Amino acid sequence: MAVKASASPPPSAGPLGASVVPQGVHFALASRHAERVQVCWFDAQNAPIGERDLQRHTHGIWRHTEPNLPAGTLYGYRVHGPWAPCEGHRFNPAKLLLDPYAREVVGRYDGDDIHLGHRPDAPDHADPRDNAATALKARVLADPSPAATLAQPIAAAERVMYETHIKAFTALHPDIPAELRGRYAGLGHPAAVAHLKRLGVTTVCLMPLAFRADEPRLLKQGLNNHWGYNTIGWSAPESRYASRPDMARDECRAMIKALHDAGLEVVLDVVFNHSAESDELGPTLSLRGIDNRLYYIGLPDAPERYTNWAGCGNVLNINEPLVLRLVMDSLRRWVTDYGIDGFRFDLAPILGRGLAPDHAFTVHHPFFMAIAQDPVLCDRLMIAEPWDIGPGGYQLGAFPCGWLEWNDRFRDQQRSQWLHHFGTAAELAHALAGSAQQFPHRPAHSSVNLITAHDGFTLMDLVSYNQRHNAANGEHNRDGHGHNLSHNQGAEGRSSDPAVQQRRQAKRRALLATTLLSLGTPLLLAGDELGHSQQGNNNAYCQDNPTTWIHWADADQSLVNYVAELVALRHRLAAFFGSAWWRTDADGSPHRTAVTARWLSANGEPLSEADWHQTPTPLLQLHLSTATGEALLVCNTSAEPQSLQWPDGPWRLELDSSAPPGQRPPHLSHQPMPASTVWVLVR
C-alpha cells in the first residue's frame, strides 16, 4: 500500500495520534498517569498482527515509531496503571482503547458489557475480560491534500444560517438517488444544494459529524443517538453517513466541497463538553482507560464519580493543557482536512470554566485565548450555545468579541408575544433591535436569532401542540423541555379545522418574519420552511426514523416561497439589517451607524413611557431611515385586527405575512392590520 511521506518527527516531538512518516507510522498518546502504554495492530479482518510498547517522553506523552507499517492498518491502545477509582484512576489493560486522535474509526459500539472497565456485578473491581475482538479501532491514514475552501467569505451582515441534519434532510428526498439518501453524498447532491440556494441561505450549520457511540439504554430499545451529541472520535467523521466505512473522510470532504462550490458556508456543531463514556457506570472506550484523572473532572470529595455540568455523565477537563490540546488539534483537523468554515460549540460555558473550587466561567479562559491566537482558527466563525446545567451556567452575552451566541431570550420573547400575546413593547423592540443590551461592545450580528432549533419543537409543532409527546423516546414522556411557550391554536396535533389551520399559518409566517428581519444573525431550522412536524416530539434525539426525516412529498411549497421571499428581502434591505447598531433620534452618536430607528405607536406617534410597558404589546411600528431610503416594520402581535396610522408618504408594501405575494396590493390605504401579521413597507 502506498504511503504518503511527510517530515519525520524526532523521537520526542511531533503530533499526537498516528502519523505516517517516511520510516513508517509514528504513534503518540497523552497519558500523564500511565505506567505502561502498548499499541496493538490488527489486519483488515480484525485479527491481531502485533504490538509494541511506547516510550514515555516529556509532558506525559508516550511515543513510538514503527518502521514499514502501512497506512490502512488498524490499531488500538492498552494502557497500564493503577485501578483505583477512589483516586480517579481506572486503568485496565484488558480493554483495547480508541485513540482520541483517530482520523477514522472502525467498528461500532454495541453496548455489550464487555466494554465496561469495571465488573458489571462489582463496580469497584476491574473487569478482566479482553474486549479487543469488538472494540472500536482507529485506522492509520496519511494526510490528505488541503481541503477546498469557500471562494468568497460570507459577510457577517449577510449571513443567514440554516441548521440541518445530514440524514434527516436527505433520507426521504425524492430527487436524491436512493443509495445517496441519508449520506454525505446526499447533502452534496445538486437537488439538496438547489433547495438551499432557492431559500437564499448563506450558511449551512451541520449537526455533529464526529464519530459517536450510542448510549446503552438506547441500544437496548433499538434506538440510537440520531443527533450525534455523544462523541467518542473527535477528529473522525461518522462512518454511518458514508457509502462504505472506509470512505467517510473522502465523502465528507466531497460534501463540503459541493456546498462550497455553491457559495455556501459550512459550520460544524462540535461536542467537547463531554464524551460518550458517560458516568462511572459507563463503558471504557477511550479517555477513561487512557487517563481518567487527566481527561475528566471528578467530584472533589468523590473522585470515583464525575462532575456532570453537561447532563451526560461526565465533563472533559479543558483546564488541563493536554485536554485543551486535544480540542484544538481536532478543530484544526476539521479546518485543514475538511474545509469547515466555523464551529458551533455545544454547552459552550463548560469550555470556559476555570479551576477548582468554583470552576467559574471566564472569558479569559485558555480555551478562548488559544482560539484567538491560532493562525488556523482565529478567522473562523465561532458560535456558542451559551448555557450549561452547572452553577452559573447561563452566560448569554459573556463570550468573546467576535463570537456569535444562540439567543434563547429572543426565542422565548417572540414565542410569548406571538403565541400568548404576553410581553411589552420594550421587550419586543429589544429583540427586534438585536438584543443590544445583552451584547454591549459587540457587533450587532452577535445575537443568533432563532425561534426553533434541533432541540425542541419544530415550528409546525410549536403552533400545533401544547404539550410534548415524547413517549417514543422510552422515558415515559419525562424527557425534553416541559416549558415550551407553544400554543396549539385550538386543537392538539393535526387538525382539519380551517380556522385552526389559518391561525397556525399566520403564527408561523409572523415568527419567520421577525426571525429574518430582526437585527442580528437569523437561524432557521431545516424543515420549518416545509411544514415539517415531529408529531409533538420535542426531544427527538433518538428518533432515526420518519419522525425526524423531512417529508419532502408533503412540503408546503407556498411556505418555502415565503421564506425565500423573506431571505431575499433581508438581503435587499441589508442597510437596515446590518452589523452596526441602530441609533435613535435622541442618540447624538452618528459614529455608531447611519441607520436611525424610531419606535412608533399605532397612531404613528413616538411611544410614550406607558406605551413601552403596556401588556399585551400594542401594535408596534419600527421606522428605519438612512440617507438613501426608509423602511417600516409593523408588528401586530395581537389576536385581533388593529387600526394604525403610519408616517405620511408614498409607502410601497414589500411584505404582508398574512397574504401571498400575488394577493397583496402594492399600496396600502389606512386599513385595519390583520391579527398576527408583519408588514414591511419601503419608500
Side-chain angles (χ1 to χ4, degrees):
M1 182 182 299
V3 175
K4 180 179 178 181
S6 62
S8 176
S12 60
L16 296 177
S19 306
V20 176
V21 297
Q23 298 88 350
V25 179
H26 180 75
F27 295 92
L29 184 72
S31 179
R32 183 177 299 150
H33 300 101
E35 297 171 352
R36 180 189 178 195
V37 175
Q38 298 169 283
V39 59
C40 305
W41 301 301
F42 302 82
D43 63 19
Q45 287 70 45
N46 214 21
I49 56 175
E51 60 185 45
R52 291 286 188 277
D53 276 32
L54 278 67
Q55 301 302 309
R56 185 195 294 270
H57 289 274
T58 57
H59 310 300
I61 296 176
W62 300 71
R63 298 182 180 278
H64 172 74
T65 300
E66 181 67 17
N68 305 316
L69 193 70
T73 301
L74 305 184
Y75 71 98
Y77 291 106
R78 297 187 188 275
V79 183
H80 303 250
W83 173 266
C86 61
E87 299 175 12
H89 296 306
R90 293 180 175 271
F91 294 102
N92 185 347
K95 307 302 173 180
L96 190 79
L97 305 172
L98 178 67
D99 186 351
Y101 278 75
R103 302 190 193 185
E104 180 184 307
V105 180
V106 177
R108 187 175 298 179
Y109 170 62
D110 58 7
D112 194 302
D113 66 12
I114 197 173
H115 301 296
L116 297 175
H118 59 272
R119 280 174 44 188
D121 60 338
D124 291 338
H125 295 79
D127 185 279
R129 295 173 295 170
D130 192 313
N131 72 334
T134 57
L136 298 174
K137 300 175 182 67
R139 188 189 305 276
V140 175
L141 293 182
D143 290 336
S145 58
T149 58
L150 186 63
Q152 184 66 40
I154 304 299
E158 298 175 2
R159 186 173 284 121
V160 176
M161 301 194 296
Y162 185 87
E163 186 190 35
T164 192
H165 184 283
I166 285 178
K167 186 170 185 180
F169 188 81
T170 63
L172 299 176
H173 200 302
D175 297 327
I176 295 176
E179 66 274 14
L180 303 183
R181 295 174 192 166
R183 304 191 184 280
Y184 295 114
L187 187 59
H189 188 271
V193 174
H195 179 74
L196 300 170
K197 298 298 290 183
R198 175 186 175 187
L199 290 178
V201 299
T202 66
T203 304
V204 181
C205 298
L206 298 175
M207 291 171 69
L209 300 185
F211 192 92
R212 72 180 192 264
D214 301 314
E215 294 90 328
R217 180 189 66 81
L218 295 179
L219 293 171
K220 290 176 182 177
Q221 297 179 73
L223 301 173
N224 67 75
N225 193 311
H226 171 58
W227 285 354
Y229 290 90
N230 215 39
T231 306
I232 197 63
W234 286 270
S235 298
E238 175 56 64
S239 60
R240 294 178 231 208
Y241 304 139
S243 59
R244 296 199 325 253
D246 62 338
M247 293 298 293
R249 181 169 73 173
D250 291 344
E251 292 179 5
C252 183
R253 281 164 54 92
M255 173 196 69
I256 295 170
K257 182 180 185 302
L259 296 172
H260 281 167
D261 289 346
L264 295 166
E265 187 177 46
V266 182
V267 169
L268 179 61
D269 204 332
V270 288
V271 185
F272 293 110
N273 53 75
H274 76 282
S275 84
E277 291 182 307
S278 188
D279 60 16
E280 61 274 8
L281 299 180
T284 295
L285 305 175
S286 182
L287 301 181
R288 175 173 285 142
I290 293 171
D291 195 336
N292 182 72
R293 189 165 162 179
L294 170 69
Y295 287 100
Y296 294 119
I297 301 178
L299 293 179
D301 55 348
E304 69 276 12
R305 299 176 59 199
Y306 297 87
T307 297
N308 192 21
W309 302 319
C312 299
N314 62 61
V315 170
L316 296 189
N317 189 3
I318 309 299
N319 291 297
E320 281 285 356
L322 289 173
V323 185
L324 177 60
R325 181 175 176 179
L326 170 65
V327 174
M328 297 297 294
D329 288 350
S330 175
L331 293 174
R332 281 190 291 266
R333 180 69 63 191
W334 283 106
V335 172
T336 58
D337 286 10
Y338 297 91
I340 290 295
D341 302 294
F343 300 93
R344 182 263 190 188
F345 294 89
D346 185 62
L347 302 180
I350 289 175
L351 306 178
R353 287 184 174 273
L355 298 170
D358 58 354
H359 296 287
F361 176 87
T362 171
V363 73
H364 301 296
H365 192 278
F367 168 69
F368 299 125
M369 300 297 102
I371 286 179
Q373 61 77 47
D374 190 284
V376 174
L377 300 174
C378 63
D379 293 330
R380 301 287 157 164
L381 179 62
M382 300 291 166
I383 306 169
E385 181 184 38
W387 49 79
D388 63 33
I389 65 171
Y394 189 75
Q395 294 293 332
L396 179 66
F399 282 76
C401 187
W403 280 60
L404 275 60
E405 300 180 39
W406 277 26
N407 189 344
D408 64 321
R409 292 187 183 177
F410 178 95
R411 176 198 68 199
D412 293 349
Q413 190 279 329
Q414 296 290 330
R415 291 183 179 188
S416 293
Q417 293 271 357
W418 292 98
L419 301 183
H420 296 276
H421 315 297
F422 180 81
T424 66
E427 291 168 334
L428 179 57
H430 180 253
L432 295 174
S435 305
Q437 295 175 359
Q438 199 65 48
F439 299 96
H441 316 299
R442 303 267 296 276
H445 61 265
S446 300
S447 171
V448 175
N449 298 331
L450 69 157
I451 299 297
T452 57
H454 67 272
D455 189 3
F457 280 135
T458 68
L459 184 59
M460 176 60 88
D461 289 352
L462 188 67
V463 298
S464 302
Y465 295 90
N466 285 346
Q467 307 295 330
R468 62 193 174 194
H469 294 263
N470 299 354
N473 296 352
E475 298 183 54
H476 307 289
N477 206 39
R478 293 193 298 260
D479 61 307
H481 295 294
H483 181 64
N484 298 282
L485 295 170
S486 60
H487 194 294
N488 66 18
Q489 307 305 311
E492 187 75 356
R494 293 184 179 181
S495 174
S496 58
D497 185 332
V500 172
Q501 292 179 342
Q502 189 279 329
R503 287 194 294 270
R504 290 176 177 177
Q505 181 80 318
K507 301 292 186 182
R508 286 188 292 154
R509 292 165 72 94
L511 286 166
L512 286 165
T514 51
T515 301
L516 283 159
L517 300 180
S518 294
L519 196 60
T521 302
L523 172 68
L524 300 173
L525 173 63
D528 279 355
E529 79 281 12
L530 301 163
H532 176 61
S533 170
Q534 294 178 167
Q535 292 76 55
N537 192 322
N538 76 345
N539 189 35
Y541 75 104
C542 57
Q543 298 300 317
D544 185 6
N545 53 53
T547 299
T548 56
W549 301 348
I550 293 174
H551 293 256
W552 293 88
D554 300 329
D556 182 345
Q557 295 299 333
S558 66
L559 191 60
V560 176
N561 293 335
Y562 172 72
V563 172
E565 178 189 17
L566 283 171
V567 175
L569 180 62
R570 179 183 178 88
H571 290 321
R572 193 159 67 250
L573 301 182
F576 305 120
F577 306 105
S579 291
W581 299 110
W582 302 326
R583 66 175 182 175
T584 65
D585 288 335
D587 182 0
S589 1
H591 63 279
R592 292 185 69 194
T593 175
V595 180
T596 297
R598 297 173 62 227
W599 302 95
L600 309 175
S601 65
N603 62 14
E605 297 296 326
L607 294 180
S608 68
E609 187 66 24
D611 290 334
W612 279 114
H613 302 289
Q614 182 178 336
T615 300
T617 300
L619 187 145
L620 181 65
Q621 302 188 68
L622 167 60
H623 179 222
L624 298 170
S625 61
T626 69
T628 58
E630 298 173 77
L632 195 65
L633 177 68
V634 190
C635 297
N636 179 12
T637 64
S638 73
E640 302 294 335
Q642 299 286 321
S643 297
L644 76 156
Q645 177 75 39
W646 50 78
D648 291 335
W651 293 98
R652 183 178 73 255
L653 181 65
E654 289 284 338
L655 177 79
D656 177 357
S657 69
S658 68
Q663 300 177 22
R664 301 173 192 161
H667 301 283
L668 285 175
S669 60
H670 293 287
Q671 57 182 310
M673 183 178 186
S676 303
T677 295
V678 175
W679 282 351
V680 175
L681 301 94
V682 300
R683 69 178 181 185

